[in-house]
Amino acid sequence: MNFKERQEIISFFDSLEATYPTENWIVGGVKVWPILKTSLFLRVFWGDKGYQKQNINRSELVNSFIRKAKRIRSKTWLKEVKLTSTDYLFFSGVNFRENFNGESFNKFFDPIGDSLAGKNKRFLSLEYGHEIQGKTYKNRGTNIQLIFRYFESRVTIEDIDYSKWVGFEGFISFLESKLSNSTFSITKEIKDTLKKVLIWKASFDWVLDQTKPRKVFLLSYYNIPCFGLLIAARNRGIECIDIQHGTQGVLHAAYSGFKEDYSILPSVFWLWDHKSEEQLKENFNYSTFQTTIGGNPWHNFLNNTSNELKGNVPTILFTLQPLSPIIDDYIIETILQTKDEFAWLIRLHPRIDAASKEGLIAKLESMEIFDQDLWDLANETPLPLLLKEVDLHVSKFSGCISEAADLGTFSIILEEIGEVTYQHLIDEQKAIGGIECNAEHLLSSIRAHIGKKEVVDPVDLEMVIDQLC
């Protein structure tokens, strides 16, 4: 999805919400517009690849057997799991973990957990996704994915009368124009998505009955499991806090628009800096939410850790994103021209699959610009340590651009989406955009900006936690 396509979709969603009573799009007592807006934006963004992967080479009989086996296992798990009463509940996907000193570390929650533990305050970390193999930091993080399987057969969803949703026909027509798969049903996707949310809501009704937290902290609130928690928690009057994890801005469907909170959005947004706070207040069309500037907890945790990059040439970190192509030819040409002048650290995005990774390595090897030591350094070192130590950062529109600025490193932004999202960093001369897609222009910009660094004072995490907790 290019800049103009993304802008068109966001503009359409905002216009539809402003024109029609989306607050009356209700299923099971839940105002579902935020769920539909964010989930279907992601469907258009990623296309139907995920849909196809879920439906190939697996018969309904096999699917039924797998679901039944997981439900049986979930019953045993539910009897054995011990969830105790707590003050603060943390919930996220396992994708926010990173290996650190041989342990699996939640980059945002574990630093906060350390602070709470030091103050003798009770907290509990829950997560969804695949089971973590190996040791987790201080044995934190209970995976509750199986609870979804337990409630899966216990939750039903009513037939949805879309004719009562004023403006829905135009919504569907627009989405159909963006998706080319004739076998893909948007209304089926909507019903399936909402059922999953309601299953997670039932799951968290049970969890919250056991844990009785005063506050809930989430990462990436717009994921299906998190919506389930938001509904269950807000129904109980529990304050829900979304911690910034990456790019936000006007072109992010979850952090722009919305004429009200629909009794489902987080009540508090933890933001990294003042500019992110200003943008959120400007981009949302309602004002009943609260904000706090808490900085990036992962950066705070690593603030006193150094990882000096030893070498005889300046280092450039290029952070990839799960896009196609994974890396453009003009960037490859730039690396080829400067392989002796700069050390290029090419960092994979967590959502880049194995096939794309191997294809990239093969391409770099064929051009004799693959360095195993640099590759390992780029992909095994905690990202903030890289961003703090490299001489320059290059990316398209990754959240790493904001992280680099937070750590005092200059960024070159390669795409218009990034320029719009991070215009404030360009204005503050912490980044530059407007790069033509050719090696000559990119190399000129690199040589003009490499080595630009500044000292940045970190946010006082302890003070932020004292205020919130």
Side-chain angles (χ1 to χ4, degrees):
M1 181 189 297
N2 62 35
F3 170 76
K4 289 184 178 179
E5 291 171 329
R6 187 170 187 143
Q7 191 176 49
E8 177 192 7
I9 293 166
I10 293 295
S11 295
F12 173 82
F13 284 169
D14 289 348
S15 175
L16 183 140
E17 184 181 8
T19 305
Y20 298 105
T22 50
E23 66 274 16
N24 294 332
W25 295 15
I26 296 174
V27 174
V30 177
K31 297 180 180 181
V32 300
W33 171 247
I35 302 172
L36 302 189
K37 177 187 175 185
T38 54
S39 64
L40 289 170
F41 173 81
L42 290 173
R43 170 60 69 206
V44 175
F45 183 87
W46 296 115
D48 54 20
K49 293 179 181 178
Y51 176 80
Q52 290 172 335
K53 287 179 181 177
Q54 293 170 9
N55 290 278
I56 60 174
N57 298 328
R58 187 179 282 180
S59 68
E60 183 54 37
L61 180 63
V62 172
N63 280 328
S64 177
F65 176 79
I66 292 173
R67 286 194 297 268
K68 185 175 181 180
K70 288 181 177 178
R71 281 197 294 270
I72 292 172
R73 185 180 168 212
S74 70
K75 289 180 182 178
T76 303
W77 178 88
L78 209 63
K79 291 177 182 178
E80 295 175 350
V81 70
K82 305 294 183 185
L83 298 181
T84 58
S85 179
T86 190
D87 292 319
Y88 306 103
L89 181 68
F90 294 82
F91 183 61
S92 75
V94 297
N95 55 299
F96 290 105
R97 289 186 167 276
E98 185 159 328
N99 183 56
F100 182 69
N101 288 342
E103 297 178 318
S104 180
F105 188 94
N106 188 302
K107 298 179 289 185
F108 300 95
F109 288 165
D110 278 328
I112 300 173
D114 281 354
S115 177
L116 292 174
K119 304 174 192 298
N120 295 315
K121 295 188 177 183
R122 301 181 304 165
F123 65 96
L124 178 65
S125 296
L126 305 179
E127 56 193 12
Y128 64 94
H130 63 82
E131 290 281 353
I132 297 298
Q133 303 300 316
K135 181 176 173 55
T136 61
Y137 180 74
K138 298 187 178 179
N139 296 314
R140 293 179 191 153
T142 299
N143 193 303
I144 62 167
Q145 186 68 43
L146 278 175
I147 196 174
F148 177 89
R149 299 303 174 190
Y150 178 82
F151 284 98
E152 191 173 23
S153 61
R154 290 166 170 77
V155 173
T156 58
I157 185 170
E158 63 194 49
D159 288 334
I160 303 172
D161 185 357
Y162 296 113
S163 67
K164 294 182 178 180
W165 291 9
V166 180
F168 183 74
E169 186 175 333
F171 180 61
I172 289 294
S173 177
F174 176 81
L175 291 172
E176 286 177 342
S177 72
K178 299 299 177 184
L179 293 167
S180 58
N181 187 346
S182 60
T183 65
F184 179 76
S185 168
I186 295 174
T187 54
K188 182 180 184 301
E189 168 103 344
I190 288 173
K191 188 171 183 178
D192 289 347
T193 297
L194 294 179
K195 182 176 181 180
K196 290 175 184 175
V197 170
L198 294 177
I199 294 169
W200 276 109
K201 185 263 183 187
S203 302
F204 276 107
D205 282 336
W206 182 86
V207 168
L208 296 178
D209 284 345
Q210 311 301 311
T211 57
K212 300 177 174 59
R214 291 170 47 212
K215 295 187 179 184
V216 166
F217 292 81
L218 309 97
L219 287 166
S220 196
Y221 84 83
Y222 48 91
N223 284 333
I224 288 172
C226 290
F227 271 128
L229 173 54
L230 282 165
I231 297 166
R234 291 207 50 179
N235 283 348
R236 289 166 166 77
I238 299 171
E239 186 173 79
C240 299
I241 302 165
D242 176 64
I243 299 179
Q244 182 177 353
H245 66 278
T247 304
Q248 293 187 357
V250 69
L251 295 177
H252 197 305
Y255 298 102
S256 62
F258 294 129
K259 60 188 175 187
E260 62 171 80
D261 75 353
Y262 292 88
S263 300
I264 193 176
L265 296 178
S267 38
V268 180
F269 292 87
W270 171 315
L271 301 161
W272 289 349
D273 51 56
H274 287 281
K275 198 63 186 183
S276 296
E277 180 185 47
E278 289 177 14
Q279 284 185 331
L280 192 73
K281 289 180 177 179
E282 180 180 339
N283 294 336
F284 275 163
N285 295 323
Y286 74 105
S287 59
T288 55
F289 61 93
Q290 299 176 32
T291 60
T292 188
I293 299 171
N296 186 319
W298 185 215
H299 292 184
N300 187 283
F301 180 84
L302 294 173
N303 191 48
N304 296 319
T305 303
S306 63
N307 188 65
E308 187 175 345
L309 303 177
K310 297 179 180 179
N312 299 319
V313 297
T315 52
I316 300 173
L317 176 64
F318 180 49
T319 50
L320 298 174
Q321 292 171 264
L323 305 171
S324 181
I326 191 170
I327 187 168
D328 298 276
D329 288 342
Y330 78 95
I331 298 171
I332 292 283
E333 177 62 26
T334 305
I335 296 172
L336 185 63
Q337 289 183 26
T338 61
K339 62 180 180 179
D340 296 324
E341 184 179 354
F342 305 123
W344 284 84
L345 304 177
I346 301 175
R347 175 89 173 194
L348 295 171
H349 188 282
R351 286 200 298 266
I352 291 177
D353 58 36
S356 298
K357 170 187 171 182
E358 294 307 318
L360 174 60
I361 291 175
K363 184 171 186 176
L364 297 175
E365 285 178 333
S366 70
M367 304 188 75
E368 299 183 349
I369 53 175
F370 179 77
D371 184 306
Q372 187 67 57
D373 290 337
L374 291 178
W375 180 270
D376 292 343
L377 181 64
N379 291 287
E380 295 176 7
T381 304
L383 180 61
L385 296 183
L386 287 177
L387 287 169
K388 185 167 66 171
E389 299 294 338
V390 296
D391 296 289
L392 184 68
H393 172 238
V394 180
S395 193
K396 292 189 173 182
F397 53 90
S398 166
C400 298
I401 296 167
S402 180
E403 292 193 60
D406 187 46
L407 293 164
T409 296
F410 194 88
S411 290
I412 294 177
I413 303 172
L414 300 180
E415 289 204 357
E416 194 172 2
I417 293 173
E419 293 169 15
V420 171
T421 302
Y422 298 113
Q423 183 61 52
H424 63 288
L425 297 181
I426 296 173
D427 293 341
E428 294 168 2
Q429 298 184 11
K430 296 178 180 179
I432 191 170
I435 307 300
E436 295 178 11
C437 296
N438 64 70
E440 181 181 1
H441 197 187
L442 175 57
L443 184 52
S444 175
S445 184
I446 288 172
R447 288 180 173 147
H449 299 288
I450 196 161
K452 284 188 177 180
K453 308 284 284 188
E454 68 174 29
V455 177
V456 180
D457 293 326
V459 173
D460 188 337
L461 182 62
E462 294 298 323
M463 185 174 69
V464 172
I465 293 171
D466 284 341
Q467 292 171 347
L468 282 176
C469 303

